Amino acid sequence: MPANESGPSVKKKGRRARLLVLVMVLALLAGLGYGAYWSVDTVRASFPQTTGSLKVPGLTGTVDVKRDEHGIPQLYADNDEDLFRAQGFVHAQDRFWEMDVRRHMTSGRLSEMFGSGQVETDAFLRTLGWRHVAQEEYDKKLSPETKKYLQAYADGVNAYLKGKSGKDLSVEHAALKLTDDYKPEQWTPVDSVAWLKAMAWDLRGNMQDEIDRSLMTNKLTQAQIDELYPPYPFDRNKPIVEGGTVSGGKYTPQGTPGSGSTGSGKGTGTGTGTGTGTGSTGAGTGTPGATPGTGSQATPNGGTNPVTGLADNASAQGATVGLRTQLGALAKTLDEIPAILGPNGSGIGSNSWVVSGQYTTTGKPLLANDPHLSPQLPSVWYQMGLHCRAASPQCQYDVAGYTFSGMPGVVIGHNADIAWGMTNLGADVTDLYLEQVRPEGYVYDNKVVPFTTREEEIKVAGGKSKKITVRTTNNGPLISDRSDDLETVGSRAPVPSSAPDRGNGYAVALRWTALDPGKSMDAVFKLNRAKDFNAFRAAAADFEVPSQNLIYADNKGPNGNIGYQAPGRIPIRNQGDGRMPAPGWDPKYAWKGGRDGNAGYIPQNEMPWELNPARGYIVTANQAVTESAPAAANTGTGTGTGNTGTGTGTGNTGTGNTGTGTGANAAAGKYPYVLTTDWGYGARSQRINDLIEAKTKDNGKISTDDMRAMQMDNSSEIAALLTPMLAKIQVSDPDVRSAQKLLEGWNYTQEPDSAAAAYFNAVWRNILKLAFGDKMPKELRIEGSCMNVSEESTGPNDDLTKTVRECGTRGPDSAQPDGGDRWFEVVRRLVKDEKSPWWTATPKTVHDKPIKTRDELFARAMEDARWELTAKLGKDQATWSWGRLHQLTLKNQTIGKEGPGFMQWLLNRGPWNVGGGEATVNATGWNASSGYGVTWVPSMRMVVNLGDLDKSRWINLTGASGHTYASTYTDQTEMWAKGELLEWSFGKDAVDKSTVDTLTLKP
């Protein structure tokens, strides 16, 4: 879901060289007696003024900036533009380094700050074209009001920048100024809009799963791959909404499915095909089915087009095989793109839930939210209030919550009437396409189509500019152009003889909803002003990317109201389900509609929502939104022309090679569209459901503190499943047996001081490695993980077969198995089969017997875990604790990640020993392939009390300030680690009471 922003982790030699120069400069200064001056004066020079008054050009009246003891500002103005102008000024005061890095990343201009080491990253980001899309949104899509606010915000940022550079802005800017005299440029409205593209990139859905499944075909059968991607367990883990239907072009919560209907169309010719339709009641043309029709079509000259070389059955199979060897290189490229919000894996997500006033101690709703994102310093979130002194048509805002520095408005929070939260919906909004490239263009529908091209110049600090050409197909930009490996590997990729002639090799294009211009920025301001559920839904309709689960609460009526809306652009595919790369040359696999952003997506009126469900609460934690009807349930058949016939009838449409068609919703009560097949598996969401149900049983009521306690729940679902089995394993080694005893009587909670949690998670990690990790292709295994494998050969596999050393190539954040709740579900399904082939493993030494059963593998994992923890924590189990293994270190952007040791010491903080874990409500995630360190966290936590907004509570991962050694740099982190929440003042009296510093901004 919305949020975490790290500057790029700079991994290239060019930047490292520049930072080494910085070390030499600092050493020289120290030798001259100026080192102390630099370290103190430079660090403090950028601390903002928080009292007194300052003149800000462009203001039409005064704005008061009231900060509490944690530096959290509440802004008061007399008109909207002054409010957002002041927001830009204050954001820049505390977070301009973060803002500056962010805008250079979203525009593909990191090389201008950090030198030649970032050229390849910039080239990839330029190819995606985030900045171009943002500019198009600003020019053509956003409302005049939104543009006015964006310009006011930019004016405020620039008012702060005027006359400042180097140490006046941040210690990081001072470091850059010492090495190449870098000076920041003026802020623009499009800088703010482009940030939404970075959000969408890190929340893009199943693209990594699509790559991984394809790479698995190198070593695994399709049946084995299916075992590693099991279906969502609807029988055990509840979806967000249940029972809704689409009828008459609208989604009806908990409604009754419409009856099927039929229609006819006319066609002549010899072609045959199938079509689909979704039945509904009422007159008119119904909604296209989830899996549109397909059919065969003859081509001349023996089934091969003489111009393009396309065979008549060039299909998804050909595309998948042809793409397979390219995807490892693509995965490596993606690993090197800065992760703004965090790893894009199966465990990352967010929690939000809302409870009706009927079940709370306050009599009004309580709403909780904690987005799970990569740990950053400073946190991606910035807490702030935006208040009009008096409501009027010229001043419409009274809102507080979590903002993004660099963007106006409040992203998550509440106003005087409603509260809202977000989690990532996880919709499948990206597809990879294999493209057949010709010198004059690319092949599509038996024709060669010219590329759309543009030239880009990448400026390089301290070096010569680089020029690139971006080529785009109807399916999107060719991302393979940005990788030398991808550029050449197509010439070697194995494909069936039926696939297109490879020519100079296949290319890879990316189709992604965020590359169509939209109106998500409009949605932010509409949310901030919304006063009821209808206005909330109207705002959600514009929140196109990234697609989020939006929860809602208000204080109207005796118990208030609670609600949910699934917004976002979610494509309708002509053919295929988005699980595997598709053949770009075949129009059957294109998305429906054009690229204008208005066609080819599920209509917003047909997206799931609900208001005041009978159960009295709503939980969203990246689980399935709803259960979709399987494609096979919607069928249509008929005959038509050699190309395509269309059958249309009352209430439904069937398309494909169809003359007459019949559509019927055979899966009554299920949603007719496929949002994705790669949901989170519901471990966290079902735990929250269970906690709420237990608390409200027998007329129990939930308090604000109960909501906080639920956010800190450390229970492990996989531990509850496996621990009883592990306790029964016969163990002969006394040291391993003593570790096994730690699990006796353990309640499966992962507290930071728990030795049992430490041992169990080590066992779990080793189970995953033995059962699955060692069977993965090298492209999915962690970099540096090496093993002996048989050399690939076309000859017989006999005693003369050679073995070679094969090492993993995947980065630590995306290596598999990562241990997320998908792997919980995989193991849950396999664990009853004691002799599943997955439980086999090679012996540790030549003297050991091969492992052939579940219990033998579990025993080996327990032994390996014992010695792993001995190496990491010591032999004495009394000193073991989960927190010692599972540590959080906060690293500042860029320079704090891979800069000189002195700068890392200056900027970074930690470690903290924390509880929680993977797919736990207190989701301090870790990747089981790479170790136990924390890779994502609840980036903030809030509980909104709709009965008394001043009794709401909130916390941030770090603090308000982005300036190292400021008192509010990490002042909230210790409280965050303990699960504590701060008071959240909202009303004027409460804000005045909590204010410790007041700054007045004047015209």
Side-chain angles (χ1 to χ4, degrees):
M1 160 16 307
N4 173 7
E5 193 247 320
S6 141
S9 176
V10 183
K11 303 177 180 178
K12 309 294 184 180
K13 293 181 180 179
R15 178 173 167 191
R16 287 175 176 162
R18 287 162 45 70
L19 294 173
L20 288 174
V21 171
L22 172 59
V23 173
M24 296 175 66
V25 171
L26 293 177
L28 177 61
L29 290 173
L32 295 174
Y34 292 102
Y37 170 81
W38 193 93
S39 63
V40 175
D41 177 74
T42 305
V43 167
R44 295 183 179 277
S46 57
F47 287 9
Q49 179 179 336
T50 59
T51 60
S53 64
L54 286 171
K55 289 186 177 182
V56 176
L59 287 177
T60 60
T62 62
V63 179
D64 292 324
V65 182
K66 300 183 177 183
R67 296 177 184 260
D68 65 12
E69 62 178 322
H70 297 285
I72 300 171
Q74 305 284 338
L75 279 55
Y76 291 84
D78 293 319
N79 62 73
D80 295 339
E81 288 177 84
D82 278 357
L83 196 59
F84 294 118
R85 188 174 285 107
Q87 185 181 20
F89 186 91
V90 173
H91 273 165
Q93 277 190 308
D94 280 334
R95 298 285 190 93
F96 185 69
W97 171 255
E98 178 185 39
M99 295 164 62
D100 203 15
V101 171
R102 181 180 296 166
R103 66 164 165 181
H104 279 80
M105 186 201 65
T106 57
S107 58
R109 295 170 54 207
L110 291 168
S111 300
E112 294 179 24
M113 296 183 79
F114 304 112
S116 60
Q118 292 300 301
V119 168
E120 290 182 14
T121 296
D122 283 344
F124 187 84
L125 294 170
R126 298 280 187 103
T127 299
L128 293 179
W130 295 349
R131 176 78 184 198
H132 286 274
V133 180
Q135 185 70 57
E136 192 173 356
E137 287 182 357
Y138 184 80
D139 292 340
K140 300 178 181 179
K141 292 287 185 178
L142 298 181
S143 70
E145 183 180 56
T146 294
K147 291 182 181 181
K148 180 173 65 175
Y149 296 157
L150 287 164
Q151 186 60 60
Y153 182 90
D155 290 344
V157 175
N158 293 329
Y160 179 75
L161 293 180
K162 188 176 181 180
K164 294 183 176 68
S165 65
K167 68 177 183 179
D168 298 326
L169 295 172
S170 71
V171 67
E172 297 95 332
H173 281 105
L176 286 188
K177 189 173 178 66
L178 280 173
T179 54
D180 71 358
D181 201 29
Y182 169 80
K183 294 180 181 179
E185 61 189 32
Q186 294 282 287
W187 193 266
T188 72
V190 180
D191 290 334
S192 297
V193 178
W195 166 233
L196 291 171
K197 301 304 170 187
M199 282 177 57
W201 175 252
D202 279 358
L203 301 171
R204 62 191 178 272
N206 76 336
M207 182 173 167
Q208 191 67 62
D209 288 324
E210 188 175 338
I211 292 171
D212 289 354
R213 277 190 289 263
S214 296
L215 290 171
M216 286 179 183
T217 61
N218 283 325
K219 294 191 70 171
L220 305 176
T221 67
Q222 187 59 52
Q224 289 173 319
I225 295 171
D226 290 343
E227 285 185 302
L228 301 185
Y229 287 88
Y232 185 88
F234 286 100
D235 60 333
R236 193 177 68 257
N237 295 343
K238 296 178 182 178
I240 297 173
V241 300
E242 299 176 83
T245 60
V246 173
S247 178
K250 292 183 179 180
Y251 178 87
T252 303
Q254 299 179 345
T256 301
S259 59
S261 58
T262 64
S264 63
K266 296 181 179 180
T268 60
T270 58
T272 61
T274 61
T276 68
T278 297
S280 58
T281 59
T285 298
T287 304
T291 307
T294 65
S296 62
Q297 174 185 331
T299 52
N301 299 311
T304 302
N305 186 299
V307 176
T308 64
L310 282 175
D312 59 354
N313 60 343
S315 64
Q317 179 182 4
T320 300
V321 175
L323 186 59
R324 185 184 303 158
T325 56
Q326 304 190 48
L327 293 177
L330 176 57
K332 184 178 180 181
T333 300
L334 296 178
D335 272 344
E336 294 180 356
I337 301 305
I340 304 304
L341 305 182
N344 193 266
S346 64
I348 195 168
S350 304
N351 300 323
S352 67
W353 66 95
V354 60
V355 181
S356 167
Q358 181 181 355
Y359 297 106
T360 68
T361 58
T362 67
K364 297 290 184 180
L366 294 172
L367 184 151
N369 196 190
D370 55 288
H372 307 156
L373 306 163
S374 177
Q376 311 270 328
L377 182 56
S379 164
V380 66
W381 298 110
Y382 186 91
Q383 296 151 288
M384 178 178 271
L386 303 172
H387 308 276
C388 289
R389 294 190 178 100
S392 71
Q394 291 74 40
C395 206
Q396 308 170 73
Y397 294 88
D398 187 18
V399 61
Y402 294 86
T403 72
F404 290 139
S405 56
M407 199 176 91
V410 171
V411 178
I412 294 175
H414 69 82
N415 58 32
D417 299 290
I418 76 165
W420 68 94
M422 298 184 188
T423 63
N424 194 26
L425 193 150
D428 185 357
V429 296
T430 59
D431 278 341
L432 295 173
Y433 286 91
L434 189 65
E435 303 285 1
Q436 172 56 47
V437 175
R438 298 287 190 233
E440 63 274 27
Y442 61 98
V443 173
Y444 182 73
D445 196 17
N446 291 330
K447 300 178 182 66
V448 177
V449 182
F451 289 109
T452 300
T453 63
R454 69 175 187 271
E455 300 294 323
E456 296 272 358
E457 182 178 8
I458 300 173
K459 296 180 181 179
V460 181
K464 185 179 179 180
S465 296
K466 306 291 184 180
K467 291 184 178 181
I468 64 169
T469 299
V470 176
R471 301 188 296 173
T472 301
T473 73
N474 65 309
N475 290 315
L478 288 186
I479 56 177
S480 54
D481 283 351
R482 301 282 71 86
S483 166
D484 291 339
D485 292 334
L486 286 170
E487 183 180 358
T488 59
V489 75
S491 63
R492 301 189 302 271
V495 294
S497 59
S498 61
D501 173 47
R502 76 177 73 247
N504 292 326
Y506 297 123
V508 183
L510 171 66
R511 183 76 166 97
W512 178 32
T513 56
L515 298 184
D516 292 338
K519 300 185 291 184
S520 294
M521 198 69 236
D522 285 346
V524 173
F525 297 112
K526 289 182 179 180
L527 272 177
N528 287 193
R529 296 193 305 264
K531 295 184 178 298
D532 56 34
F533 189 61
N534 287 336
F536 166 80
R537 291 192 67 207
D542 286 339
F543 209 104
E544 296 162 328
V545 291
S547 185
Q548 299 291 289
N549 294 306
L550 298 179
I551 61 166
Y552 167 92
D554 68 35
N555 52 17
K556 310 294 192 300
N559 298 122
N561 298 290
I562 63 173
Y564 165 81
Q565 176 69 59
R569 283 186 182 148
I570 301 173
I572 303 172
R573 293 170 174 85
N574 279 309
Q575 186 162 310
D577 58 9
R579 289 174 59 85
M580 296 287 250
W585 52 82
D586 190 339
K588 294 194 297 291
Y589 289 87
W591 290 3
K592 283 183 176 289
R595 296 186 58 83
D596 60 0
N598 297 314
Y601 302 114
I602 299 174
Q604 183 61 33
N605 284 341
E606 299 182 17
M607 291 289 286
W609 63 275
E610 62 182 355
L611 178 67
N612 296 325
R615 62 186 176 275
Y617 62 89
I618 301 169
V619 175
T620 81
N622 315 112
Q623 80 271 39
V625 171
T626 188
E627 188 169 5
S628 296
N634 296 319
T635 61
T637 61
T639 61
T641 65
N643 288 313
T644 302
T646 301
T648 303
T650 302
N652 88 315
T653 300
T655 63
N657 291 330
T658 307
T660 60
T662 299
N665 191 344
K670 295 186 178 180
Y671 189 63
Y673 298 106
V674 176
L675 301 177
T676 186
T677 57
D678 288 309
W679 302 109
Y681 282 78
R684 285 180 288 107
S685 62
Q686 192 56 44
R687 176 62 177 172
I688 296 168
N689 275 297
D690 293 344
L691 290 171
I692 293 173
E693 291 178 4
K695 193 67 181 178
T696 56
K697 186 179 180 181
D698 299 327
N699 298 316
K701 303 289 185 180
I702 293 177
S703 68
T704 300
D705 195 61
D706 290 330
M707 300 283 275
R708 181 204 63 80
M710 291 178 192
Q711 289 178 324
M712 294 301 294
D713 183 82
N714 286 329
S715 178
S716 169
E717 178 189 276
I718 194 64
L721 174 69
L722 296 184
T723 298
M725 299 179 186
L726 296 174
K728 296 177 182 178
I729 300 294
Q730 295 298 313
V731 175
S732 58
D733 187 304
D735 290 317
V736 179
R737 173 62 185 139
S738 67
Q740 184 185 35
K741 288 182 178 180
L742 292 172
L743 303 178
E744 297 176 2
W746 179 44
N747 63 358
Y748 318 130
T749 60
Q750 301 166 101
E751 301 299 330
D753 61 354
S754 171
Y759 182 59
F760 172 80
N761 281 315
V763 174
W764 170 237
R765 180 176 184 237
N766 280 278
I767 287 174
L768 291 171
K769 179 180 183 297
L770 292 168
F772 309 106
D774 290 347
K775 300 177 180 70
M776 292 286 164
K778 65 180 181 180
E779 293 88 355
L780 271 69
R781 297 202 310 272
I782 184 74
E783 187 174 6
S785 171
C786 300
M787 56 192 300
N788 294 326
V789 298
S790 297
E791 186 177 37
E792 291 187 10
S793 171
T794 58
N797 185 15
D798 53 29
D799 290 343
L800 298 182
T801 300
K802 296 180 180 179
T803 61
V804 295
R805 193 71 169 161
E806 181 187 82
C807 296
T809 61
R810 183 63 66 86
D813 287 343
S814 58
Q816 294 295 329
D818 61 15
D821 64 355
R822 172 166 67 88
W823 294 100
F824 289 14
E825 188 64 18
V826 169
V827 170
R828 180 186 296 279
R829 288 167 176 264
L830 292 175
V831 78
K832 294 179 182 179
D833 182 0
E834 296 184 22
K835 295 184 179 180
S836 166
W838 290 107
W839 302 130
T840 62
T842 56
K844 185 182 295 187
T845 71
V846 294
H847 303 292
D848 296 324
K849 295 180 180 179
I851 294 171
K852 296 182 178 180
T853 69
R854 180 199 67 194
D855 286 354
E856 290 174 355
L857 186 139
F858 282 10
R860 165 76 179 276
M862 293 171 70
E863 178 184 351
D864 290 353
R866 181 19 161 145
W867 302 122
E868 181 184 4
L869 293 197
T870 298
K872 291 180 179 294
L873 303 179
K875 187 174 182 179
D876 184 359
Q877 294 172 192
T879 67
W880 290 5
S881 71
W882 174 228
R884 285 183 62 203
L885 274 182
H886 191 52
Q887 293 187 324
L888 168 66
T889 299
L890 295 174
K891 295 184 178 182
N892 195 278
Q893 296 183 66
T894 57
I895 295 175
K897 288 191 172 182
E898 295 194 27
F902 167 75
M903 291 299 294
Q904 291 191 38
W905 173 83
L906 189 71
L907 297 170
N908 299 341
R909 299 292 183 271
W912 284 266
N913 296 348
V914 298
E918 186 71 22
T920 300
V921 178
N922 181 21
T924 55
W926 54 287
N927 186 306
S929 286
S930 56
Y932 304 96
V934 175
T935 56
W936 57 79
V937 294
S939 55
M940 61 79 159
R941 299 186 184 100
M942 75 174 191
V943 179
V944 181
N945 182 337
L946 275 297
D948 184 347
L949 292 171
D950 289 325
K951 291 184 179 178
S952 301
R953 299 290 183 265
W954 61 351
I955 198 76
N956 204 351
L957 174 63
T958 61
S961 180
H963 302 290
T964 185
Y965 288 99
S967 62
T968 57
Y969 189 50
T970 55
D971 62 317
Q972 298 184 51
T973 307
E974 190 66 30
M975 292 178 284
W976 173 92
K978 294 177 180 178
E980 299 173 0
L981 300 176
L982 300 174
E983 293 184 358
W984 182 352
S985 300
F986 179 73
K988 189 175 185 306
D989 290 343
V991 169
D992 287 344
K993 185 177 179 180
S994 63
T995 296
V996 296
D997 286 337
T998 299
L999 173 68
T1000 300
L1001 304 179
K1002 298 181 177 181

